[in-house]
Amino acid sequence: MNWIILIIAGLFETGFATCLGKAQETEGRESVLWWIGFAACLFISMFMMYRAISVGNNPIPIGTAYAVWTGIGAVGGVLAGIFIFNEPVTFWRMFFVFTLIASVVGLKVVSS
C-alpha cells in the first residue's frame, strides 16, 4: 500500500510543477488559481510522501522513497513540458528519461 501512496505522491509532485509553470505564464485570476493548485498539490504530495515513509507495517526507506518520488516527478515534469508547454522531444532527452525510469524501477526491485 505504501508504494501506491508513494506513486500517487509522485504524481502530485508532477502536478505542483505543472501548476507552477502555468502560474508563471498566466495573469490575474487565472494565475491565482494556478498558485492555489500549486499549493494544494504541494501539500498533498508532501503529506503522502510522509505517509509512505512512516506509516504501516512496511514503511519505505527514505532514500528509496525520495529517489522514487523525485523520479516520478521528474519524468512527469518532462512529459508535462512536452505535452503542455510544447518543449522539444529529442533522442537524448527521451534516452535519459528512460534511464531515469529504469533506475526508479531498479530501486523498487532491490528495496526490501
Side-chain angles (χ1 to χ4, degrees):
M1 187 64 174
N2 284 345
W3 282 103
I4 293 170
I5 292 170
L6 183 62
I7 290 168
I8 294 168
L11 295 174
F12 274 100
E13 184 184 4
T14 299
F16 77 69
T18 303
C19 287
L20 185 61
K22 293 299 275 182
Q24 294 297 319
E25 67 180 28
T26 57
E27 296 179 3
R29 181 181 177 156
E30 184 178 358
S31 180
V32 170
L33 293 174
W34 284 112
W35 280 107
I36 292 169
F38 164 77
C41 286
L42 179 66
F43 175 79
I44 293 167
S45 180
M46 295 287 179
F47 178 73
M48 293 183 87
M49 171 68 163
Y50 167 75
R51 298 271 310 192
I53 65 171
S54 63
V55 176
N57 295 334
N58 296 319
I60 302 169
I62 184 66
T64 301
Y66 185 72
V68 170
W69 180 66
T70 57
I72 293 168
V75 170
V78 170
L79 294 176
I82 291 168
F83 292 111
I84 296 172
F85 298 103
N86 298 318
E87 293 177 359
V89 179
T90 65
F91 169 79
W92 287 111
R93 193 170 194 199
M94 292 297 100
F95 173 79
F96 288 115
V97 165
F98 285 114
T99 59
L100 180 59
I101 293 168
S103 297
V104 167
V105 169
L107 280 172
K108 199 283 185 215
V109 169
V110 300
S111 79
S112 51

